[in-house]
Amino acid sequence: MDDELLELQRQFEFAQQVKSSVRLSDRNVVELVQKLQELGVIDFDLLHTVTGKEYITQEQLRNEITREISKLGRVSVIDLADTIGVDLYHVEKQAQDVVLNDPGLMLVQGEIISQSYWDSIAEEINERLQECSQIAVAELAGQLQVGSELVQSVLEPRLGTLVKARLEGGQLYTPAYVERVTAMVRGASRGIFVPSNLSALWAPLQQLVQETNGASGVAVENSFFQSIFNRLLKEEEMLGSLRAGTHWTPSAFATAQKECVDSSFSQNSYISYESMQKLGISQAVQFLQSRYPDGTPLAAVFIHSSMIEMLDSATEDAIEQNSWIDSLSVLPSSFTSQDANKMLLLCPSVQSALKAEKALILGESYVLSSGFIKGIYDQIEKEADAFSIQASTATLIHPSSKSSESTESIPANTDKGSKKKKGKSASTKAATVETVPDDEEDARPKSKRNQKKGRDSSSSQKLDSKAGGKKESVKAQESNNIIPPDEWVMKKIVDSVPEFEDDGTSENFFLCTENPDSILKHLADHMKPMLINSLKERRKKIFTENADRMRRLIDDLQKKLDESFLNMQLYEKALDLFEDDQSTAVVLHRHLLRTTAATIADTLLHGLDIHNKMKNGTEVEESKTQDLVLLDSSERTALAKNLNGSLSKKALALVEALEGKRVDTFMVTFRDLAEESGLVLKKLDKKLERTLLHSYRKDLISQVSTESDPIALLAKVVSLLFIKIHNKALQAPGRAIAAAISHLKEKLDESAYKTLTDYQTATVTLLALMSASSGEEHDCSADRILTKRELLESQMPLLRTLVLGDSQPQQS
């Protein structure tokens, strides 16, 4: 058999050495292989090498990859492609199949690593650990050029076998090193006798370990110390409790804590949470409740039931004696007002007194008997009534009534009997003619109202309805004026109970407003609503009494304004004649504003002021509602400001217009104020104007006929001429008489005009002499004045003839 094999070998070798007579090119070989693949003779995939001159099967490629891994243990896929001479794509594909079919291999970052390789690495690491006691995993990963997680995952199953070490916090430690550190942790932990944070303990231990290992030592992580500590605690080598993983409380400290708490609570019957915090007990309430189930937790302290019994006895005595007590005064200083309040609510005597309304708790800690509070309140209530009346009166202005003979309107004569007198009333004083002052007031004759139209009888209701939208806010403001302030109430309380003055405010009891816990402040706050209700009831009674008087007041005011405002409109029309003469127009406007306009403005403001007082609950004398007043500028302003809301704004506008230079501006503001007040002003129509002018003319004729003063006669004559010529009722001061006469020049013949001018010149001369001689006693001056006056008196009949003709009466 052996001989046959040897023979076959020789034949094969000979066949190989024999040169073929037919040679195939590379191209022919490629075509031949392709043909064989098409015929199915070659039924497997063939791979080209990178040179393109060789074929290799996939199975052969896997075998060569496996052989390289077995030889090296760790090989790169790129290096395999170069070594085998096959394209990288095919090598990676087959390498993945190899790794997938072999559990002992892993493909990491383009490298195939076998378990034998890691075993050899583990042996090397173990040898290094015997030399340096500790190695960082990160350092090993850097040397092996792989990730730390991979190194850690490879070493963990080999710890205790190939690697005699402990892995903790990314570090490998030898058992001897771990025992040394364990001894350090045990000693340091047993030296702690107060609650401590273990994180603060690891820092010095870490420094000690580094000093022991020298410059080559690696820093130890806190987690390594913590794991050792947890193991020692589990083995009961240390006694204590660990909270949140790092807060360590030794058992010796916990024992001392409990002994201290027991001693303090048994001696004082209470213990404060602040002292518990100092003892290191954070959850004091839970600790004390678990230890003393019969105790009561308060806001700042934990008490025994005996403390409540003591406070109950003290408060019961105070209530029975109709007195008061500050519970904090009988409790230790560590108790707060919240603690006192909670204890009071637990006292049986206080509970029964509160239920029977025999006592009251103020400011959490003060207990006052109801009789004690009532005695103080009754005294203060009487004084509060007087205060509210005084305060309500002080907030309103009481204008002084001034009578002026030279300031009168043209009132409508409503008396039927007066018609028989045909306007010959002697009660009206004539205006005087002056040269300089335009503030002098001109007395105006009264006229009759022959026609009286109906007015709204409910004007009082309109006044109230206008202010309806603002009623609530106004009432609130008015209430504040009559409500005693806190300082007043506290002062009256101190007057009743002097001992309250020393309640934290010995220097000045008004400082109680800055001390919200003062009994004086609390008692004042309690009594204030009671006083307010009492005052409101009193004001409600006054309001009821004032209701009818307010309606009558508005009706009377409406009647006065009806007559006066019609006269004002009549006089305003005469001002149109002087619009071209601005200097004279200014004088006439100001004169009318300071006479008739001032009268009706004062009448309205005074009426609204009285109405406001009544509405505010102020008692007003009946005589003051009927008084005719003349106010100065400051009094008008004060009355206007005292009104409410938009009424005050319109009243101030009226006062401002009265101080101005235009009558039309005054009329607009007067109408606005009257409308806002709910009053209805009549408009002067043609019929009323004729009636008033006729009455005014008759009155002037009567006065011109009976006037005995030569100076006063000139003004009446000029006014009567304006009615006859221009059909206007002119109101002119002395300084405007000359301009008024000049305005009549074109309407009079020369003789009549000369008579007027001569009389006016003589009048001015007489007034100048009288002014110059005032305060002097010279016979010559008196003679000159007498002579000049006699001259004027001699011309009076001629002046009357201008306006009356020959029908003038005989003068005595």
Side-chain angles (χ1 to χ4, degrees):
M1 185 60 123
D2 294 335
D3 295 337
E4 292 178 0
L5 288 174
L6 290 175
E7 181 62 27
L8 288 173
Q9 289 177 357
R10 282 194 298 268
Q11 291 177 5
F12 182 69
E13 183 178 358
F14 177 76
Q16 288 179 335
Q17 293 176 357
V18 173
K19 294 182 179 181
S20 175
S21 58
V22 180
R23 297 182 61 87
L24 298 175
S25 64
D26 293 341
R27 179 171 181 165
N28 297 136
V29 174
V30 171
E31 293 176 352
L32 181 60
V33 172
Q34 291 178 351
K35 187 64 175 177
L36 293 174
Q37 288 179 334
E38 292 176 1
L39 297 174
V41 178
I42 300 177
D43 55 354
F44 48 84
D45 293 334
L46 294 177
L47 302 176
H48 289 284
T49 61
V50 294
T51 60
K53 296 182 178 182
E54 293 178 314
Y55 286 105
I56 185 172
T57 63
Q58 293 183 5
E59 183 180 357
Q60 181 62 28
L61 179 58
R62 286 195 294 270
N63 292 335
E64 292 189 12
I65 290 172
T66 303
R67 186 168 56 250
E68 288 295 326
I69 293 172
S70 301
K71 181 170 60 176
L72 300 176
R74 176 181 179 181
V75 61
S76 172
V77 175
I78 297 176
D79 294 340
L80 283 175
D82 294 339
T83 303
I84 300 173
V86 180
D87 186 76
L88 180 61
Y89 170 78
H90 300 293
V91 173
E92 288 180 344
K93 185 177 180 181
Q94 298 304 321
Q96 291 176 357
D97 290 340
V98 171
V99 172
L100 185 62
N101 295 324
D102 190 350
L105 300 178
M106 63 178 63
L107 181 61
V108 180
Q109 297 178 355
E111 291 185 320
I112 302 174
I113 306 175
S114 64
Q115 293 297 330
S116 59
Y117 172 80
W118 290 119
D119 291 339
S120 62
I121 293 299
E123 292 175 356
E124 294 177 5
I125 292 173
N126 189 58
E127 292 175 0
R128 288 183 57 185
L129 276 173
Q130 305 309 318
E131 299 175 359
C132 59
S133 300
Q134 59 178 343
I135 300 176
V137 173
E139 180 184 352
L140 295 173
Q143 294 174 356
L144 298 174
Q145 298 181 353
V146 293
S148 299
E149 295 81 1
L150 178 60
V151 174
Q152 187 168 338
S153 65
V154 169
L155 290 178
E156 285 177 351
R158 292 171 173 80
L159 292 176
T161 54
L162 296 177
V163 181
K164 307 294 185 182
R166 177 175 177 178
L167 179 62
E168 191 72 43
Q171 297 281 341
L172 285 172
Y173 306 101
T174 61
Y177 184 85
V178 172
E179 288 299 328
R180 185 164 66 250
V181 175
T182 299
M184 293 180 180
V185 172
R186 183 189 298 110
S189 300
R190 288 180 176 178
I192 297 175
F193 294 98
V194 295
S196 303
N197 193 318
L198 294 178
S199 299
L201 178 63
W202 305 148
L205 279 181
Q206 190 177 69
Q207 183 178 0
L208 179 61
V209 170
Q210 287 182 344
E211 292 176 355
T212 304
N213 295 338
S216 61
V218 180
V220 180
E221 296 291 336
N222 289 348
S223 59
F224 182 47
F225 293 124
Q226 188 69 46
S227 63
I228 294 176
F229 181 88
N230 293 339
R231 179 171 56 82
L232 294 175
L233 182 62
K234 187 176 181 180
E235 295 172 356
E236 296 185 355
E237 294 193 27
M238 295 174 297
L239 300 177
S241 60
L242 184 66
R243 292 183 298 105
T246 58
H247 298 283
W248 168 247
T249 303
S251 59
F253 179 80
T255 302
Q257 265 185 338
K258 294 176 183 179
E259 292 176 354
C260 184
V261 170
D262 291 341
S263 174
S264 176
F265 191 72
S266 61
Q267 291 178 6
N268 304 319
S269 297
Y270 77 94
I271 187 169
S272 67
Y273 300 146
E274 183 180 0
S275 61
M276 298 287 287
Q277 290 285 348
K278 292 179 180 179
L279 291 174
I281 302 175
S282 57
Q283 298 179 347
V285 176
Q286 292 84 340
F287 177 87
L288 292 171
Q289 283 181 326
S290 62
R291 196 159 185 83
Y292 311 108
D294 297 336
T296 302
L298 303 179
V301 294
F302 189 88
I303 62 171
H304 190 265
S305 57
S306 59
M307 294 291 292
I308 297 177
E309 296 174 358
M310 179 268 295
L311 181 61
D312 181 68
S313 176
T315 53
E316 186 177 10
D317 291 342
I319 294 173
E320 289 178 354
Q321 295 174 9
N322 233 18
S323 183
W324 70 284
I325 185 174
D326 180 8
S327 57
L328 287 176
S329 63
V330 298
L331 295 174
S333 59
S334 57
F335 282 66
T336 64
S337 57
Q338 293 87 345
D339 297 329
N341 183 260
K342 192 170 183 179
M343 290 181 66
L344 288 173
L345 296 177
L346 295 174
C347 294
S349 62
V350 176
Q351 292 176 356
S352 59
L354 292 175
K355 187 176 182 179
E357 298 183 354
K358 293 182 179 180
L360 187 67
I361 298 177
L362 296 179
E364 296 185 336
S365 62
Y366 301 102
V367 180
L368 298 88
S369 69
S370 299
F372 179 77
I373 295 176
K374 187 177 184 302
I376 300 175
Y377 175 76
D378 291 343
Q379 183 175 353
I380 295 178
E381 186 181 21
K382 298 177 182 178
E383 300 184 19
D385 289 339
F387 174 87
S388 64
I389 296 174
Q390 181 180 2
S392 178
T393 304
T395 55
L396 303 173
I397 297 178
H398 298 278
S400 59
S401 299
K402 299 180 182 178
S403 61
S404 176
E405 296 178 355
S406 60
T407 306
E408 296 180 3
S409 62
I410 307 178
N413 194 342
T414 58
D415 189 356
K416 294 182 180 179
S418 63
K419 293 182 180 179
K420 299 179 181 179
K421 298 180 181 179
K422 297 187 182 293
K424 295 183 179 180
S425 173
S427 62
T428 306
K429 186 175 180 181
T432 58
V433 182
E434 301 178 10
T435 56
V436 177
D438 66 6
D439 294 344
E440 193 76 18
E441 295 160 352
D442 184 23
R444 294 167 298 283
K446 298 181 180 179
S447 63
K448 301 177 182 178
R449 291 181 58 191
N450 297 326
Q451 297 182 3
K452 182 178 180 183
K453 297 186 177 180
R455 66 173 64 89
D456 188 359
S457 62
S458 61
S459 57
S460 174
Q461 297 176 358
K462 289 186 178 180
L463 179 63
D464 293 336
S465 64
K466 284 288 182 180
K470 310 159 191 169
K471 193 170 183 181
E472 296 301 326
S473 61
V474 169
K475 279 188 175 182
Q477 183 177 1
E478 292 171 353
S479 299
N480 292 335
N481 293 334
I482 67 166
I483 295 173
D486 292 345
E487 292 79 4
W488 185 91
V489 177
M490 288 189 287
K491 185 177 185 307
K492 297 304 177 183
I493 294 175
V494 170
D495 293 342
S496 301
V497 188
E499 61 183 297
F500 284 168
E501 188 172 3
D502 298 329
D503 182 43
T505 55
S506 57
E507 297 182 358
N508 188 351
F509 70 89
F510 288 114
L511 296 178
C512 288
T513 55
E514 301 178 3
N515 182 14
D517 293 331
S518 167
I519 184 176
L520 194 55
K521 182 68 170 62
H522 290 301
L523 190 55
D525 291 342
H526 174 70
M527 290 186 174
K528 191 78 175 288
M530 300 165 61
L531 291 174
I532 292 174
N533 291 334
S534 175
L535 294 175
K536 284 183 177 179
E537 290 296 327
R538 182 180 178 278
R539 291 193 69 199
K540 184 178 179 181
K541 181 180 178 182
I542 295 177
F543 286 151
T544 304
E545 296 174 355
N546 285 347
D548 294 336
R549 295 182 62 193
M550 289 168 64
R551 284 192 291 271
R552 293 196 303 269
L553 171 68
I554 294 302
D555 291 340
D556 292 342
L557 183 61
Q558 180 75 66
K559 293 176 182 179
K560 293 177 182 178
L561 293 182
D562 280 348
E563 176 184 355
S564 302
F565 192 68
L566 285 174
N567 292 335
M568 187 66 190
Q569 294 178 80
L570 184 67
Y571 300 151
E572 183 187 14
K573 286 181 174 293
L575 300 178
D576 298 337
L577 300 173
F578 296 88
E579 288 301 322
D580 296 336
D581 185 0
Q582 288 299 318
S583 59
T584 304
V586 170
V587 174
L588 293 175
H589 275 267
R590 294 186 64 183
H591 174 72
L592 192 56
L593 286 172
R594 298 188 180 190
T595 53
T596 307
T599 301
I600 63 174
D602 292 346
T603 300
L604 178 58
L605 290 174
H606 178 66
L608 293 178
D609 176 62
I610 297 299
H611 184 274
N612 192 35
K613 290 177 182 178
M614 291 182 178
K615 186 175 66 174
N616 290 335
T618 304
E619 297 180 2
V620 182
E621 297 178 6
E622 188 69 29
S623 60
K624 289 188 177 182
T625 62
Q626 305 297 330
D627 291 343
L628 178 64
V629 296
L630 180 63
L631 309 175
D632 57 27
S633 178
S634 61
E635 290 173 329
R636 295 186 189 106
T637 303
L639 286 181
K641 290 182 178 179
N642 196 49
L643 299 177
N644 299 322
S646 61
L647 203 62
S648 176
K649 294 180 181 178
K650 294 183 183 298
L652 288 173
L654 175 65
V655 174
E656 183 179 355
L658 196 61
E659 298 296 324
K661 298 180 179 180
R662 298 291 302 178
V663 173
D664 52 354
T665 304
F666 167 80
M667 298 294 281
V668 172
T669 57
F670 189 86
R671 286 190 180 95
D672 290 345
L673 179 58
E675 181 181 355
E676 185 71 19
S677 304
L679 299 171
V680 179
L681 297 177
K682 286 188 176 182
K683 186 176 181 181
L684 184 66
D685 53 19
K686 294 295 183 180
K687 187 175 181 180
L688 279 175
E689 184 178 0
R690 286 195 300 269
T691 303
L692 290 176
L693 282 174
H694 178 71
S695 177
Y696 187 35
R697 180 176 181 174
K698 290 178 63 178
D699 207 353
L700 280 175
I701 290 174
S702 175
Q703 293 186 40
V704 168
S705 301
T706 59
E707 183 60 64
S708 60
D709 186 355
I711 297 176
L713 178 62
L714 179 60
K716 292 180 171 61
V717 169
V718 172
S719 296
L720 188 55
L721 285 173
F722 264 84
I723 291 180
K724 287 186 174 183
I725 296 172
H726 295 289
N727 205 29
K728 302 288 184 182
L730 178 66
Q731 295 292 311
R735 62 186 298 184
I737 292 296
I741 293 174
S742 298
H743 201 77
L744 296 171
K745 181 177 181 181
E746 297 179 357
K747 304 295 182 179
L748 298 174
D749 55 33
E750 293 184 2
S751 60
Y753 180 72
K754 186 176 184 304
T755 300
L756 272 178
T757 54
D758 291 344
Y759 194 94
Q760 193 267 341
T761 302
T763 302
V764 171
T765 303
L766 176 59
L767 289 174
L769 289 174
M770 294 173 65
S771 177
S773 65
S774 60
E776 300 179 1
E777 295 181 359
H778 297 290
D779 294 339
C780 60
S781 298
D783 293 341
R784 293 175 62 188
I785 292 172
L786 182 60
T787 301
K788 201 68 176 177
R789 187 176 186 89
E790 290 176 350
L791 177 61
L792 277 178
E793 290 176 351
S794 65
Q795 295 178 1
M796 288 176 64
L798 182 60
L799 193 63
R800 289 193 181 97
T801 304
L802 289 177
V803 291
L804 302 179
D806 297 334
S807 62
Q808 57 179 311
Q810 296 294 326
Q811 298 294 323
S812 58

